[in-house]
Amino acid sequence: MKLLFRGAKGRNLEGQFIMLARQDVGLTHIGMSWLARIICFALVSSIVTVFVGCVLHHAKAEPKHILLSLRMADGGDVGGIVVVPTLRAKYPVVICSPGRDGNAHDFQSELDQLANLGFAVVSIEHAQSNQALFDQQFIALARYLEGQPWAQSNAAAWVDLGGGSPNMLGLLLRHPEIQPQLLVTVSESRRWELDAVYSALRLDSEASAQWKTNPMPIHCPVALVQDGPPSKLPAQAMEAFLGLLRARGISVVRETLACEASEFDDNRPGVLRAAVEYCRAHLPLADYASAFPECGVNPTQREQFNVGMQRAGLNRRELWHAVASTRGVEQHTMMVVIGYLEDYDLAHIQAAHLKEVIHVAWRARRQYSWCREAPLDIFEKFTANPRVFEEPSERFQDFFRQRLRREIKYCHTTEEACNAIWRWMHRRVEWRRPVDLSAEQGAGATPRQVLDQGFSECSGMVILYTALCRSIGLPTRPASTIWQLTSLGHHWTEVWSVEEKQWHANDCSAEDRPYGADWLLRVPKAVIHAPAGIRGTWNGIAEGRFDAFTNTVGLFYPSGQVTVRVLEHGAPVRNRFVLAENLAPDRLVTAARAKTDVGGEAHFTLGASARQPYRFSIDQSGDTDWQWLEVKSNNLVDLVLNLGCKRPFDKKTDLPPALTILGSRPAKEANK
Amino acid sequence: MNPRLRQSIVVALARLNSMRAGHPRLFSTSVLLTVALLMGLHFTFGERMFHPEMRLWDSSRFSKADLFDLEFFANKLEEPDALDRLSQYLRTNLSDTTTNALAIYRGGLDSHLQQALAEDLNHLIQRGSIYDSNFFAHVRLATETKDLLGQTAKLSAAQLTRLNRMLLQDAYPCCISKHLFWSERSFWMDLLLHSILPIALWCIWNSISFGRLDSLPLIAKLVLVICIGDIVFYLIPINLAKAEEAQLFHIKMPLEYWNWWTLWTSTVVVTGNVVMLRRWWLLLGFSGFSWAGRLATTPITWTRVLFGAAIVGSGLAGAWPVGIHIVLPRMAISPTTLSVAERYLITPRLKSDFRYITSTAQWSGTRVGVLIDHIELADQQRQNYYKTLNDFIFKEYVLSADIDQLALAELNWRRTLCEEFYPFLCKERDAVAAAHIVVRRLRERVGIDPEYSSRVGIETIWAQQMTDEAGFERIYVAALRSVGIAARLTENAQAELWTGNAWMIAPRPLGSLLPTK
């Protein structure tokens, strides 16, 4: 130490060192003090930052209010209020007329709710009696909206809460260049209003003679909203009015709002809400994808994404952040994934969770051949997917990826990877009978819960196996069957094989069935339901919505096709559901359900009948027409059911006929 | 004063003083450890010996305290549902005494009826297996019960009695105490934290310091004091509770505060062990830094020790309830967190509600705070619209959080809906008028669109702000319950409410302009 403090000129600096050391104590104290100050400062500043962040976040979550003050051509002003959602997108516009005695600011809080539905809402204080002034105000407003980046100026609806419709129709008549997509007018149930419309459209004057030969230039559909029966408006007068408008080429519909008369008059915010919901069904959706011009989604995916964002409701902001924080291909996948997320996930999922799903999926796609070579749409639907069935949402992707990466380090094919995961899973989880488990331990458990508890039934193991496969990039989907001879079924997984270029059925819950095992023909199957990667399949089987699934029985099991025609008095009936059922020992079990098309035909692909034929019937309450039908492998069969025919069915007496041939393979005992 | 007694006190004080002077840290540590150990033992075992719901050594027999929700249970037995075969079976097996007591029962506590029911149930469960698949078709059996049920043929008589009791517990989870389940888990945690750990520390410390410190007489005296204190501590509230039960006087409030005091025993244990950590540090020679020198030069006086203990103790005492009230509600529901929550977060008056609500829905994955919200908010609004509300109706149609019966339960709705609607109903005292306001407000927030046909829960409907007609009826029921109006879904999936005398269809919402499917 002393050497260190010897100066270049050889002076002994020991004394100075001691002095410095003494000072060092002081310096240390000063240093500690500064450290404490820095810590205090950091603490205080972080608290302030969090507080300010919360305030800003809350402020940002609220729709943006713009006070409208437009200068018209003649120098006058028109006032109002515009409420725009905060997310950067192009919104359809609803222009509200507050009614004869109303004010633009009357429904301010309701306008916020309407903006949350995905609209930009304008409430305007327009002239009530001066038609020329009214025209100028709306023209000024239309020009204002054309210049706004958030407005879809070609997707506007005008909603009149009473008293404004004569002016609106008059404007459309005089200025055909300004046309909304929809005009909704809420009738105040008074006769004078009809008179005002007559007057505005000059229907009752000789001057309107020209419209008797030429249609009026009002191209937008007009919806006239009334309260439910009994309405205060005279029915005959209304019908005459509607007839007159239709005769002039105006597409007008009369809509009835089921409610009490007092409710219709007093609850204007509720009526406004119902009218805007009506607009929502008839206007294009808000275009959230417009904020991401480089995302590369095609028009179908873009529409699905917008629908997903629309259905997310209050969680929309979270999804938007998830998309905004990703780039390139990951952003594309994020948007596609949001397009088919289930309603529950749309309303609950966090941006961080969604980002993890997409990030882990793309990481696997860059790393593993079984993922890289899978088609992009398969990858986006069945690898970058956070859900299997109706299990609680869980962030499992990175957790499983880290645990599996050593297991699959030397795997090169889909089969090797599947088998490695299958072995890994069966070392930790064993299969148990469903009767031994509670709902929380079976299909109601998350993948990590199944892993932690160490046992589950087939659906629970499918949840775990699917999650494991997806976390290392294998496109995987759950599949389930209904056996022909019992009312039971079974779940397994289908893995996309890049070598076979098709789905490969893998019975992951069986301890003796690796990837290559031949097991599918053991028990006769009626159908195999696999999700098609669209919204609504997560609880489709439980709710009997079989049409939400892809039936893959034809891929794996000897099967035939049946076309059922539903007729009523000899004419085909469309949009009727037809059921294909098995007669189990205790009851009839629905195996498949299909809807009739324009030609009255419903198409089924069913496994070849093994012991007894299928029963086909029309899905309706009470007695219906039905028939037994044997399905043979590689056969096409037609069947006709009559809607008017009522045949009672008793399973004790109406026994199925014997089969002409047995199924392709003798049925063996079900092993589960 | 007796001169001999006075002399012995003087000698004891002198001895204490010499010990303190000779080995001050060893002495005070030993005292602290002993206190911590005794408190821990008391905390683990003492409470269970005296507290009726936490008995450790118990047979499968019912006592009257096991029927903690008498009103609900009596309702079930008196008017069993057509589908409730088990209640019908129990009803037919009741003695005449019990049947008569049931007939004259008008709600509230009834010690006589409780005793009679307990005796009848004991008689029933000792007669042989009560299991019948028809009786338990709609009962969600616990895994332990299923395991035991699988071995019925091999069970001894005692085990069969236990199985019968477990079956009844599963069938009436909100009425019959599950003390075997609830206490066992917290018992093992208590045993580890408050007994085994302090015993180990005490043994090690005293073996190290043996020969330098003779603290045994002092320890013996402390044991005596704490045992006496323990008995007094529990005997007083138990007797007070009995007096309350006998309606001699109303002391619910002091009793609840007394229960809060029990938290402090645990605080002392934790404090003792935290102080110990520093002592261990010094004893094992890791004290090479300036703290040791500083301590060596600073004389340890009683004032300083007490001052330090007061600071640490009060800090921990403050941190403990804060931790329980802030951290625990944010934790996911599991048997352990439920057990702790029931013990520390739920007041005795609400324990029956707690047991009911935990037995009626799939709570796994939900936060504890959601459960507490349901219980506390429902309790706050218990008498908003009804002067007297049958306990059965309150639990089934106000408190119950499960409306949808969905596979993926969405139960976190009460606070959101209550905060949304209750401000408009503060002055309303009529259930039907309140329902009119609720449905109008709800319709302004939630639209009806048949396109939203997927069956989702209340949280999703609220977030999406759109639903189909069936979904609207479900969220309507939830909104009514959130403000304290008893509501349920009819067979046609329409919302109906309890007016105080009868069920009626709830006021209809404004319709939709969109075509229904």
Side-chain angles (χ1 to χ4, degrees):
Chain A
M1 266 318 227
K2 282 182 184 175
L3 285 174
L4 285 175
F5 281 88
R6 282 188 191 281
K9 293 176 182 174
R11 282 192 303 160
N12 187 350
L13 298 177
E14 190 176 353
Q16 290 179 23
F17 167 61
I18 291 166
M19 195 174 69
L20 275 173
R22 281 177 185 163
Q23 284 176 355
D24 192 41
V25 177
L27 282 172
T28 308
H29 282 294
I30 292 168
M32 285 300 288
S33 167
W34 276 107
L35 186 65
R37 285 180 198 183
I38 289 167
I39 290 170
C40 284
F41 176 75
L43 273 173
V44 171
S45 57
S46 55
I47 289 168
V48 170
T49 310
V50 168
F51 178 74
V52 172
C54 287
V55 170
L56 287 178
H57 180 80
H58 181 73
K60 271 192 159 185
E62 295 295 322
K64 192 166 56 179
H65 288 234
I66 304 167
L67 282 175
L68 204 60
S69 178
L70 299 176
R71 176 93 31 179
M72 292 182 296
D74 66 352
D77 281 344
V78 56
I81 184 167
V82 184
V83 184
V84 187
T86 46
L87 298 184
R88 196 154 47 88
K90 279 194 170 292
Y91 296 98
V93 183
V94 171
I95 300 171
C96 293
S97 160
R100 187 164 292 276
D101 306 320
N103 184 291
H105 298 269
D106 279 353
F107 307 116
Q108 201 154 331
S109 61
E110 285 75 19
L111 296 186
D112 283 1
Q113 302 303 327
L114 301 180
N116 283 336
L117 287 178
F119 288 108
V121 191
V122 184
S123 180
I124 183 171
E125 283 180 353
H126 57 77
Q128 302 280 354
S129 51
N130 187 339
Q131 179 71 51
L133 184 58
F134 180 91
D135 291 358
Q136 284 187 30
Q137 287 171 337
F138 262 66
I139 290 167
L141 181 61
R143 285 185 186 148
Y144 167 76
L145 290 176
E146 278 171 13
Q148 299 307 314
W150 42 261
Q152 291 182 30
S153 52
N154 57 348
W158 294 358
V159 176
D160 164 41
L161 284 179
S165 50
N167 300 110
M168 288 179 177
L169 290 168
L171 167 69
L172 294 176
L173 202 60
R174 273 180 290 280
H175 297 275
E177 74 279 6
I178 298 175
Q179 294 281 338
Q181 276 216 320
L182 179 67
L183 172 60
V184 180
T185 166
V186 178
S187 164
E188 282 186 323
S189 310
R190 287 175 182 82
R191 179 59 194 251
W192 60 260
E193 192 179 352
L194 289 188
D195 296 337
V197 175
Y198 274 85
S199 168
L201 297 180
R202 291 178 287 171
L203 294 171
D204 52 351
S205 67
E206 291 302 318
S208 69
Q210 56 169 318
W211 308 124
K212 289 181 181 174
T213 51
N214 302 317
M216 282 184 172
I218 299 177
H219 307 304
C220 66
V222 179
L224 188 65
V225 178
Q226 283 185 281
D227 54 342
S231 171
K232 282 189 282 185
L233 204 62
Q236 286 179 341
M238 177 56 71
E239 284 304 323
F241 173 66
L242 293 177
L244 203 56
L245 288 181
R246 284 174 189 145
R248 300 293 186 275
I250 300 174
S251 166
V252 57
V253 288
R254 180 182 174 189
E255 300 288 355
T256 306
L257 192 60
C259 64
E260 294 168 9
S262 60
E263 186 79 352
F264 191 79
D265 289 340
D266 300 339
N267 186 7
R268 303 311 275 177
V271 175
L272 173 63
R273 167 95 190 190
V276 174
E277 284 165 15
Y278 183 81
C279 297
R280 189 169 180 266
H282 292 84
L283 288 182
L285 292 173
D287 188 9
Y288 297 96
S290 65
F292 312 104
E294 295 174 1
C295 59
V297 290
N298 62 36
T300 312
Q301 290 166 337
R302 188 185 188 99
E303 191 184 338
Q304 283 173 343
F305 171 70
N306 288 335
V307 171
M309 291 292 282
Q310 186 73 23
R311 292 176 84 99
L314 301 179
N315 199 40
R316 197 176 294 140
R317 189 178 178 78
E318 198 71 19
L319 301 183
W320 199 87
H321 279 304
V323 181
S325 58
T326 47
R327 294 284 176 276
V329 286
E330 290 194 14
Q331 190 178 62
H332 178 276
T333 304
M334 179 74 79
M335 293 173 75
V336 173
V337 167
I338 288 172
Y340 61 74
L341 274 183
E342 297 291 350
D343 280 339
Y344 176 88
D345 294 324
L346 286 171
H348 287 89
I349 203 162
Q350 300 290 307
H353 184 185
L354 210 45
K355 278 160 64 180
E356 181 183 317
V357 172
I358 306 300
H359 182 69
V360 170
W362 268 98
R363 187 173 177 158
R365 192 167 170 90
R366 292 183 189 106
Q367 197 170 354
Y368 304 118
S369 61
W370 53 74
C371 188
R372 189 168 47 244
E373 292 166 21
L376 185 64
D377 64 325
I378 298 275
F379 163 77
E380 286 176 334
K381 282 180 178 173
F382 301 108
T383 302
N385 189 332
R387 177 165 293 285
V388 184
F389 291 128
E390 266 188 288
E391 75 282 1
S393 188
E394 183 184 64
R395 291 175 73 165
F396 58 78
Q397 287 76 9
D398 207 39
F399 177 82
F400 285 146
R401 186 189 67 79
Q402 290 182 10
R403 274 148 192 81
L404 288 174
R405 61 183 179 182
R406 289 181 196 283
E407 295 289 322
I408 55 163
K409 190 171 182 181
Y410 300 107
C411 297
H412 301 290
T413 62
T414 309
E415 179 171 4
E416 287 171 2
C418 285
N419 282 337
I421 296 170
W422 177 75
R423 281 193 298 272
W424 188 90
M425 184 178 80
H426 278 284
R427 282 202 297 272
R428 290 159 178 81
V429 183
E430 65 175 25
W431 178 83
R432 285 199 191 167
R433 294 181 308 163
V435 289
D436 295 334
L437 304 174
S438 66
E440 293 165 2
Q441 292 171 327
T446 65
R448 285 171 67 171
Q449 280 170 352
V450 174
L451 189 65
D452 290 343
Q453 72 194 19
F455 55 85
S456 193
E457 56 171 319
C458 58
S459 56
M461 296 186 82
V462 164
I463 288 173
L464 175 59
Y465 187 74
T466 308
L468 291 170
C469 288
R470 284 178 180 173
S471 64
I472 56 138
L474 279 165
T476 316
R477 65 184 184 184
S480 59
T481 190
I482 293 166
W483 288 324
Q484 286 188 25
L485 307 180
T486 68
S487 57
L488 303 174
H490 182 47
H491 296 276
W492 64 84
T493 49
E494 288 181 2
V495 182
W496 179 263
S497 165
V498 291
E499 293 82 15
E500 302 168 42
K501 296 200 186 323
Q502 67 168 5
W503 291 102
H504 182 99
N506 191 4
D507 192 6
C508 59
S509 58
E511 291 175 3
D512 56 349
R513 292 176 185 171
Y515 183 84
D518 179 22
W519 59 274
L520 258 171
L521 300 179
R522 281 194 62 180
V523 186
K525 293 167 180 61
V527 286
I528 297 176
H529 292 307
I534 56 171
R535 184 175 297 113
T537 50
W538 70 324
N539 56 1
I541 290 180
E543 294 184 4
R545 286 186 285 103
F546 299 109
D547 41 329
F549 294 90
T550 305
N551 182 3
T552 59
V553 70
L555 266 180
F556 304 112
Y557 191 81
S559 49
Q561 293 193 341
V562 180
T563 301
V564 180
R565 291 192 74 203
V566 179
L567 302 176
E568 187 174 26
H569 307 301
V573 184
R574 63 181 299 193
N575 292 336
R576 280 279 172 174
F577 282 103
V578 179
L579 301 177
E581 296 165 307
N582 290 317
L583 184 62
D586 52 344
R587 61 195 170 99
L588 280 168
V589 180
T590 303
R593 194 173 79 143
K595 198 192 259 186
T596 54
D597 56 16
V598 183
E601 291 183 347
H603 303 279
F604 293 91
T605 305
L606 296 166
S609 300
R611 293 265 173 86
Q612 60 190 27
Y614 292 92
R615 176 181 180 269
F616 288 87
S617 62
I618 301 168
D619 187 11
Q620 63 182 25
S621 57
D623 292 333
T624 173
D625 194 12
W626 58 268
Q627 280 191 46
W628 294 109
L629 183 72
E630 179 185 345
V631 175
K632 297 172 187 172
S633 179
N634 293 325
N635 259 17
L636 265 170
V637 190
D638 288 336
L639 185 71
V640 175
L641 295 175
N642 283 302
L643 201 59
C645 178
K646 310 284 184 192
R647 292 177 61 199
F649 176 76
D650 183 351
K651 70 174 186 178
K652 289 178 184 169
T653 53
D654 295 319
L655 293 174
L659 297 185
T660 52
I661 56 166
L662 278 179
S664 64
R665 290 271 298 264
K668 295 181 183 176
E669 286 297 313
N671 64 336
K672 285 174 188 171
Chain B
M1 187 185 282
N2 187 340
R4 286 185 66 185
L5 178 63
R6 187 177 176 180
Q7 189 184 358
S8 60
I9 291 174
V10 169
V11 169
L13 285 175
R15 195 169 176 185
L16 274 176
N17 199 34
S18 68
M19 282 160 58
R20 187 181 69 81
H23 308 285
R25 251 176 263 148
L26 289 179
F27 172 74
S28 57
T29 305
S30 188
V31 170
L32 267 174
L33 268 178
T34 309
V35 171
L37 168 60
L38 290 170
M39 285 290 194
L41 288 173
H42 142 79
F43 193 66
T44 314
F45 298 104
E47 194 178 20
R48 283 179 170 78
M49 288 166 69
F50 291 108
H51 204 290
E53 284 187 18
M54 301 196 67
R55 283 162 306 180
L56 180 62
W57 302 284
D58 196 2
S59 72
S60 303
R61 287 175 60 81
F62 288 97
S63 70
K64 64 177 188 177
D66 288 335
L67 305 176
F68 53 80
D69 193 347
L70 183 65
E71 199 168 332
F72 192 83
F73 193 47
N75 266 327
K76 284 258 181 193
L77 292 182
E78 205 170 0
E79 293 169 4
D81 289 344
L83 293 174
D84 190 356
R85 297 274 182 81
L86 180 63
S87 297
Q88 292 171 6
Y89 170 71
L90 292 183
R91 165 95 189 162
T92 54
N93 280 282
L94 292 180
S95 65
D96 291 344
T97 320
T98 317
T99 315
N100 292 337
L102 263 180
I104 57 170
Y105 176 66
R106 291 286 174 272
L109 282 172
D110 186 337
S111 181
H112 175 62
L113 177 61
Q114 268 177 312
Q115 188 64 42
L117 278 171
E119 281 173 16
D120 281 3
L121 290 179
N122 282 331
H123 185 64
L124 193 69
I125 62 174
Q126 288 170 340
R127 235 171 33 187
S129 174
I130 61 166
Y131 182 76
D132 182 321
S133 56
N134 290 329
F135 294 173
F136 291 88
H138 301 291
V139 176
R140 192 193 307 155
L141 295 179
T143 316
E144 293 92 339
T145 317
K146 279 183 187 171
D147 290 344
L148 213 55
L149 200 58
Q151 310 159 16
T152 312
K154 303 175 198 167
L155 295 183
S156 64
Q159 285 173 321
L160 204 58
T161 310
R162 185 183 162 85
L163 169 64
N164 285 339
R165 168 157 185 151
M166 288 164 76
L167 285 167
L168 288 176
Q169 280 174 187
D170 291 345
Y172 302 101
C174 56
C175 313
I176 297 178
S177 167
K178 276 191 175 182
H179 59 83
L180 291 171
F181 174 74
W182 292 103
S183 62
E184 271 172 10
R185 289 177 190 269
S186 62
F187 167 71
W188 290 114
M189 198 169 70
D190 287 348
L191 189 69
L192 178 70
L193 286 178
H194 299 127
S195 296
I196 294 176
L197 193 66
I199 285 174
L201 288 172
W202 191 85
C203 291
I204 296 167
W205 181 266
N206 280 296
S207 63
I208 290 171
S209 62
F210 190 75
R212 281 193 277 174
L213 181 67
D214 182 13
S215 58
L216 284 178
L218 180 77
I219 291 166
K221 284 169 191 169
L222 276 172
V223 168
L224 188 66
V225 168
I226 289 178
C227 284
I228 293 169
D230 210 29
I231 291 166
V232 173
F233 191 80
Y234 280 102
L235 282 184
I236 290 173
I238 284 169
N239 283 307
L240 287 177
K242 282 190 182 301
E244 161 77 22
E245 190 178 325
Q247 298 185 338
L248 292 179
F249 47 86
H250 296 288
I251 45 164
K252 272 189 179 172
M253 193 68 97
L255 272 179
E256 285 182 8
Y257 280 107
W258 193 284
N259 278 332
W260 269 98
W261 271 100
T262 57
L263 295 178
W264 288 78
T265 39
S266 165
T267 307
V268 171
V269 177
V270 176
T271 312
N273 285 315
V274 168
V275 173
M276 270 305 303
L277 280 177
R278 193 167 66 78
R279 298 290 168 84
W280 279 106
W281 182 265
L282 296 173
L283 182 75
L284 296 175
F286 298 128
S287 53
F289 65 100
S290 60
W291 275 101
R294 193 166 176 184
L295 278 172
T297 54
T298 310
I300 296 177
T301 62
W302 280 109
T303 322
R304 289 187 182 186
V305 169
L306 286 174
F307 185 66
I311 290 175
V312 174
S314 55
L316 285 170
W320 165 249
V322 167
I324 283 283
H325 282 86
I326 290 180
V327 178
L328 187 59
R330 281 161 179 74
M331 292 172 74
I333 285 179
S334 68
T336 311
T337 51
L338 275 184
S339 179
V340 178
E342 183 184 8
R343 188 164 173 167
Y344 297 118
L345 291 182
I346 304 292
T347 56
R349 192 168 56 82
L350 298 179
K351 289 209 172 183
S352 154
D353 292 351
F354 178 84
R355 283 165 190 155
Y356 171 80
I357 203 167
T358 49
S359 67
T360 52
Q362 301 280 355
W363 288 96
S364 67
T366 320
R367 287 180 296 109
V368 174
V370 175
L371 190 71
I372 308 283
D373 275 353
H374 275 288
I375 295 166
E376 291 183 345
L377 289 173
D379 181 60
Q380 278 174 20
Q381 292 158 346
R382 194 184 286 253
Q383 290 183 331
N384 273 357
Y385 306 103
Y386 312 103
K387 283 180 185 169
T388 53
L389 183 61
N390 183 316
D391 198 44
F392 178 78
I393 290 182
F394 171 75
K395 282 181 177 160
E396 287 276 326
Y397 306 117
V398 178
L399 176 64
S400 174
D402 199 5
I403 296 166
D404 308 294
Q405 309 281 330
L406 296 176
L408 186 51
E410 298 183 37
L411 304 169
N412 185 12
W413 49 261
R414 193 177 293 265
R415 181 166 289 280
T416 312
L417 296 183
C418 182
E419 287 174 355
E420 180 70 27
F421 299 113
Y422 189 67
F424 302 103
L425 306 169
C426 294
K427 293 179 182 170
E428 197 57 66
R429 287 292 167 267
D430 177 54
V432 180
H436 272 288
I437 300 172
V438 169
V439 73
R440 181 181 278 203
R441 295 274 162 192
L442 181 65
R443 184 63 185 84
E444 286 168 20
R445 292 297 305 266
V446 178
I448 301 174
D449 184 348
E451 284 299 315
Y452 284 71
S453 60
S454 177
R455 221 167 109 77
V456 288
I458 306 298
E459 289 175 46
T460 305
I461 292 173
W462 186 253
Q464 289 191 304
Q465 302 196 310
M466 293 297 287
T467 182
D468 59 354
E469 284 184 359
F472 190 87
E473 296 293 333
R474 295 203 301 274
I475 197 171
Y476 187 11
V477 170
L480 291 174
R481 286 186 187 180
S482 75
V483 295
I485 301 173
R488 67 182 183 187
L489 288 171
T490 63
E491 286 180 356
N492 300 328
Q494 271 194 327
E496 66 175 358
L497 62 88
W498 177 251
T499 59
N501 302 312
W503 288 99
M504 66 168 273
I505 297 292
R508 294 292 80 208
L510 199 68
S512 170
L513 291 169
L514 302 171
T516 52
K517 272 195 173 175

